[in-house]
Amino acid sequence: MRMLIVLLLALSADAATLTVEVNRNGFSGPIEVAVAPRVEGNPPVWSMKETLPAGKSSVAFADLGSGLYIVIARGPQPLQRLSAKANVGAKGGAIRLVIPKSKASVRTKLAGQPLADAEVTLTHDELRWDMQLETDDKGRFEGALWEPGVYTAAVRKDRAAAPHYVDVTFAAEPVIIDVPDRHVSGHVMDDAGKPLAGALVMLQTESNQSTLTVRTTSALDGAFTFFGVREGAHSLSARAPSYVHSDASVFELRGASAKHSADLRLTRGTQRAVRVIDERGGPIANATLYTACNGYIKSTLTTDADGRANVAVPASAACAIYALPKEGSIAVGRIEGTERIVIRVPDGSSSLRLALKSEAGAAFSDLWLLMRVDGMVVPPPIARILGARGFSLVTDDEGTISLAHIPPGTYEFWPYRNEAEGRMIYEVAGEFAAPISVNVTTGENEATVKFKARR
C-alpha cells in the first residue's frame, strides 16, 4: 500500500498554528510528532514534539511563525517514520499523514556472507532526517515501514570505524546491502611521534562514476579505521586545530578483499594572523580560508565576526591563502615576510559562462579546467573545493562551465582529464601561456572556445 500525504488548508483563524492529523490505519501504539524549520539541504533540528497516546490522532503546534517546516511521525519501531513538508502561513496550516501497512526486509552482508549485528543508519534522501536499525545474528531485519523511498545507508560493524555508505531504495523488494571487504586503517601522530586524538581523518575515493569523501576521528591512541571501502583510487589525509594538514597518502584498492595501512603525521607549523575585508574595508565574517602550500591544502579555517583568523602554515614553504566568503567572490593573499596578512576581497559582480567545443560544434564534457586569475594559479585541490561551492570548473554535458559571483579580471584556463594531468600542468603553468584567456568584466560574460581535432 502506498503512503498517502494530503496537505490541507487551515480552517482555524489562529495565526501560525500547525495542526497535524495522523490517520492511524489500524496502528494502535504511541506516536511522537515533531516539527522542525525546513532549511534546504540541512538535517532538521526538531524544535517541538508531542506524543499521541493510543486513541488520539491529532495535535496542534502553536506559535510557530510563518515559514516552511518538516513534520515527522515516529512509532516505537526502527522504520516507523513518516514525514511531510508543511507551509505555515499567517493563518496557520494543517497537514494529514496516513500510515501505510507496508513492510521492510533488510539483509546486511560482507563480501556476500551474512554480516551479523550490523548497525544501519538511514538518511532520508530529500528531507535529511535519519533513523536506525540493527540486524540480527544472521544479518537480517524485518519490520513495519512507514515511508518507502530513497535513503543513504551508513553501515557499521564497529562504532570506532567509519561506516560504509550506499544509496538504497525501500519498496516491495528486500533491501540487500553487500559491504565490500576492503578496509583502511592507521594512526595519526604529532611531529614528535606521539598519538594525536580527535584529529579529523578523511578518505577520498575516486572512481569512474563519482567521488566520495568519508570522515572519521582518531581515537585516544591515534588509531582510525574505514570499513567497507569502495574500490578505486584513494587519498587519505588528516587535520586538527593548530596543526598543518598532513600530506596525503595516495593509493589504490582493487579486488574483492583488500587492506591498506598508513600512518599520518601532523606538524604544528607557524601561526599567522589573517584579516579578511571587503572592498570598502569592512570585515568579512565566516569566510572560509584555505592555505595552499606548493599546491596542497595545508589548513582550513573560518574568520570570526571581525574577519580575523590565525592560520597554521609550514615553517618553510611557498604558500597562499584563498579567501571564500559565504556570499561569493574569491581573493588570494600570498604569505610573505612576518607581517599580518590582509586579504581584500573584491565584489563578486561578474559571472562567466565558458563553452568548449570542437570545430564541428561537439561539446567537450567532463573536462576539468585549471584556472589562473590575474596571474595567480588556483591549485587543483582548491578547484575541487570551488566546485562544491558553486564555482563549476568541470564542463557539463554541453561542454560549459559556469562561474557566478566572481570578481572582474583576467581568467585563464588549461583543460585536463584527470588529477595527475592537472597536477603536472599546475607545476609548469607559471612558465607557459594558457590556451584559453578571457577578460571578465562587470556583469554577465559568455565565451565559446573551439578546438581543432587532432590529426
Side-chain angles (χ1 to χ4, degrees), residues 77-380:
Q77 296 182 22
L79 302 188
Q80 290 179 334
R81 305 288 188 273
L82 181 58
S83 65
K85 294 177 283 187
N87 187 356
V88 178
K91 294 184 178 181
I95 194 168
R96 188 182 184 216
L97 304 175
V98 180
I99 297 175
K101 292 185 177 180
S102 54
K103 299 287 186 180
S105 175
V106 180
R107 303 286 185 270
T108 53
K109 298 182 178 182
L110 180 63
Q113 300 301 313
L115 177 61
D117 305 320
E119 179 183 288
V120 182
T121 299
L122 297 160
T123 302
H124 192 276
D125 188 60
E126 180 185 6
L127 301 183
R128 312 309 301 162
W129 52 265
D130 59 42
M131 56 187 175
Q132 292 79 35
L133 65 86
E134 291 185 10
T135 60
D136 61 18
D137 57 0
K138 295 182 179 178
R140 298 182 176 183
F141 173 87
E142 307 280 347
L145 174 67
W146 285 4
E147 189 159 345
V150 180
Y151 294 82
T152 298
V155 185
R156 296 178 186 268
K157 177 62 178 176
D158 180 358
R159 289 295 302 174
H164 168 74
Y165 289 95
V166 64
D167 291 335
V168 298
T169 300
F170 280 90
E173 300 79 12
V175 172
I176 299 175
I177 303 175
D178 197 354
V179 180
D181 189 19
R182 290 186 289 270
H183 311 273
V184 174
S185 61
H187 291 79
V188 180
M189 298 172 290
D190 64 15
D191 44 9
K194 296 181 179 180
L196 189 60
L200 177 64
V201 186
M202 294 169 293
L203 179 68
Q204 180 176 292
T205 303
E206 291 198 18
S207 66
N208 293 332
Q209 293 77 31
S210 63
T211 299
L212 174 69
T213 301
V214 180
R215 297 169 174 83
T216 190
T217 54
S218 58
L220 290 176
D221 61 353
F224 62 86
T225 302
F226 292 89
F227 170 69
V229 177
R230 295 185 181 184
E231 192 172 47
H234 303 275
S235 177
L236 181 69
S237 61
R239 64 179 64 171
S242 300
Y243 288 85
V244 175
H245 293 0
S246 73
D247 291 333
S249 174
V250 180
F251 57 94
E252 289 194 4
L253 284 184
R254 305 289 180 185
S257 179
K259 293 183 179 181
H260 181 82
S261 180
D263 291 337
L264 303 173
R265 188 178 295 270
L266 295 177
T267 58
R268 283 197 175 274
T270 303
Q271 297 293 313
R272 298 296 304 271
V274 179
R275 188 161 192 245
V276 181
I277 59 176
D278 59 25
E279 284 193 326
R280 293 157 291 282
I284 300 180
N286 298 317
T288 305
L289 304 180
Y290 295 97
T291 303
C293 302
N294 298 324
Y296 295 99
I297 298 175
K298 286 299 180 181
S299 67
T300 306
L301 280 174
T302 302
T303 58
D304 62 16
D306 197 32
R308 302 179 188 274
N310 289 318
V311 176
V313 298
S316 58
C319 301
I321 300 175
Y322 294 79
L324 303 177
K326 293 180 66 176
E327 297 77 13
S329 195
I330 181 173
V332 184
R334 295 184 183 274
I335 300 178
E336 298 174 336
T338 59
E339 298 298 321
R340 186 185 69 178
I341 302 163
V342 178
I343 302 176
R344 186 181 295 271
V345 182
D347 291 337
S349 57
S350 305
S351 66
L352 172 63
R353 186 177 185 272
L354 176 65
L356 275 59
K357 310 270 187 183
S358 69
E359 284 186 311
F364 287 99
S365 60
D366 298 322
L367 197 64
W368 279 91
L369 296 179
L370 183 73
M371 182 172 69
R372 179 163 61 193
V373 183
D374 290 338
M376 176 67 75
V377 181
V378 178

Side-chain angles (χ1 to χ4, degrees), residues 60-83:
F61 296 92
D63 302 323
L64 282 178
S66 300
L68 298 176
Y69 291 86
I70 298 173
V71 178
I72 192 167
R74 296 185 283 221
Q77 296 182 22
L79 302 188
Q80 290 179 334
R81 305 288 188 273
L82 181 58
S83 65

Side-chain angles (χ1 to χ4, degrees), residues 25-46:
N25 201 14
F27 177 75
S28 60
I31 301 173
E32 182 185 70
V33 181
V35 176
R38 188 183 182 204
V39 181
E40 190 72 33
N42 291 344
V45 178
W46 307 111

